[in-house]
Each structure stands twice: as C-alpha cells, then as structure tokens.
Amino acid sequence: MVTDTPEVQDDEHAPASIRALYDDIRGTLETDVINLVFRRLAAIDGCLAQVWERLRPAYRDGTLDALGADLLSAVQPLPQVSLPAAVLQAVALDPGERAQICAVVAAYNRNNARNLIAFKALLVAGGPAHESARVATRLSSGQVSAIPPLPALKDLPLSSRELLAALNALGEAGSPAVVAGLFRHLAHWPGALVLAAGLLTPLHGLGWLAQRTEAVTNAANRMARELPASMRDPAAITGSAAGVMPLIDSTIPKMIPVGLVLDGAFRFNQANI
C-alpha cells in the first residue's frame, strides 16, 4: 500500500522560507506544480535552497526548456492508444474535468523532462561540460486550465490508494515506495486513474515502459553533460537528502513515457468528444 513520503506540502502550512522558494520555483518554471523532488528536498534543512541556487539559472534562461523538449522526443514513437468516447462517458468525466486532466498531465510532462536533466546535471561528477549546440529559449507551458491542489494520500479513499499502488508498480520491478506526483494528482478524478491503468498495464506487460524509461535515462544523462559545470554539486544530495535518488533514478524517467501516453490519449479524446 502506498504511504506518504517525507515532504513539505505546497500549502499555507509550509514554513515561510520554503513558501518563498516554492513561489520562486513556480515563477521561474512558469508552472502551478511543485514537483515531489523539490518538496522532498524541502523536508531537509537548507537542502532545497542549496540545490535551487545551483539549478535556477538554467531554468530561468530557457536552457532546460530546449533540452526538455528534446528529451520528450526521445520517447517517440508513441504507441497508438486512445480512449473511446463511451469509455470516457462511463467514468463520468465531463469536458471541464477532461480539460483539467490535460492541463495536469501537460504540466507534469514539461516539468519532469526539465527536472530530470537538471538533477542529472547536479549529480555529474568530474570532467568538463560539453558545449551545448542548443539555443536557450523559453517555451510556453500552453496551460489553459487551473490545476487543483495536490491531494494528500491520507485523504484519498481506499479504492484510489489501491489504484495508485497498482499504477505505481507499472514499469518497475517490485513495489516502489515513491508515489508519482502525476498519479497522485489524477486521484482528483478516480475515473482518470481507471483509464490510466487500462492504457498503461498492456504497455508494461509488453516491456514498452521499461524500454522507453531506459531510453529517457540514457538521453537525460547525455544532455546533463551539456549543461554548465557550475550546476554540478554531487554533494548536495547525500545522507538524508539521498531520499530523492529513487525519484531521479526511477520515478521521473518512468513518468516521462507514462505522461506522454496519457497526454496523447486524453488530448485526442478532449478534441473529439
């Protein structure tokens, strides 16, 4: 069964110093979502501030936007998946809900790609950075619908927590302890979790998720070495902060192909219903 992990929620109960960092992250990344990798670092005294100082310039100048877009292309080609109108209607997702779901998925896809490369760059040890041929450019998030707050796991019904556990295990061996933020956010709409399971379970069985996760990891490792050496600080994630390593090694790479599959499926049906 999935459980809460040590993190600082992005809400009014966060300490003022953390809320200020979250506000800066939101503004710099142009996103409503504070991803788990940041929330988990915030639970360790001074760690988020140290890491964010290293990473912020590459987010701010658009370097990570360009690299992130290239990383998302590493997942291609996507399998042909769609959700029939009758199925969507059966789980009672109205057009407004589908629009919100599309916005949530798009935000996680954009953030996950940038965050994976940034944290891989942070952990690079030794050697000069390669000169990047990519042009830094800020990309629009394309977000058109407000994203609701992240629900707390303890507040979710048992049926949703069971679905989260099943979804979380796809693409990985064993039972991962880290609950992917995208799945947790989709728990606002239990029907979306049901549909995600229907789409992703066959891809897990075929080995597609594992193959695309490996491709994403390899591409992110290459791209990380294109970033400035000033971003490197392997010592920033040690000891108690090592709890973010499962996110960087497994969860985020897996959720990039997962998110793109869900994005394609939900956007297709949003446009055709």
Side-chain angles (χ1 to χ4, degrees):
M1 183 62 63
V2 295
T3 57
D4 285 303
T5 55
E7 63 179 86
V8 177
Q9 288 275 29
D10 177 24
D11 58 26
E12 68 276 9
H13 301 298
S17 59
I18 297 300
R19 289 202 306 272
L21 285 168
Y22 284 172
D23 285 344
D24 190 35
I25 291 170
R26 268 192 298 270
T28 303
L29 273 67
E30 299 179 346
T31 183
D32 288 340
V33 175
I34 300 295
N35 289 80
L36 179 57
V37 68
F38 294 120
R39 301 197 311 273
R40 190 169 273 199
L41 287 174
I44 302 140
D45 188 34
C47 194
L48 178 60
Q50 178 185 354
V51 168
W52 180 237
E53 182 180 11
R54 289 277 186 178
L55 302 184
R56 188 179 189 273
Y59 284 107
R60 185 177 183 182
D61 71 9
T63 299
L64 285 166
D65 284 296
L67 288 169
D70 285 351
L71 182 59
L72 293 177
S73 71
V75 180
Q76 304 296 334
L78 291 176
Q80 297 298 310
V81 291
S82 63
L83 303 175
V87 175
L88 280 174
Q89 291 163 358
V91 295
L93 293 175
D94 63 35
E97 289 174 318
R98 292 196 298 272
Q100 281 194 305
I101 291 168
C102 288
V104 167
V105 174
Y108 274 92
N109 287 347
R110 185 171 182 243
N111 288 353
N112 280 337
R114 295 181 293 177
N115 293 345
L116 181 60
I117 299 167
F119 278 87
K120 290 285 189 181
L122 182 79
L123 296 170
V124 169
H130 298 299
E131 191 67 28
S132 176
R134 292 172 176 80
V135 176
T137 180
R138 293 314 305 264
L139 303 179
S140 170
S141 67
Q143 184 177 308
V144 295
S145 299
I147 293 177
L150 188 71
L153 287 171
K154 62 182 178 59
D155 296 334
L156 296 176
L158 177 61
S159 58
S160 292
R161 282 182 278 140
E162 289 176 340
L163 263 174
L164 284 175
L167 282 165
N168 225 42
L170 298 177
E172 296 189 49
S175 300
V178 178
V179 181
L182 173 55
F183 289 148
R184 184 170 152 190
H185 231 129
L186 290 179
H188 278 291
W189 308 277
L193 296 181
V194 173
L195 295 172
L199 288 167
L200 298 171
T201 300
L203 298 178
H204 168 72
L206 293 170
W208 184 88
L209 282 180
Q211 293 166 1
R212 292 297 87 198
T213 298
E214 182 179 6
V216 164
T217 298
N218 291 338
N221 286 333
R222 291 193 302 271
M223 293 174 184
R225 292 188 175 275
E226 298 184 17
L227 290 165
S230 59
M231 290 182 66
R232 300 180 182 177
D233 188 7
I237 300 181
T238 58
S240 57
V244 304
M245 290 308 300
L247 299 174
I248 300 165
D249 290 340
S250 301
T251 308
I252 302 175
K254 176 185 75 173
M255 293 308 294
I256 289 174
V258 163
L260 288 176
V261 168
L262 297 181
D263 180 77
F266 280 109
R267 284 191 184 281
F268 174 83
N269 286 277
Q270 174 69 5
N272 288 279
I273 293 178

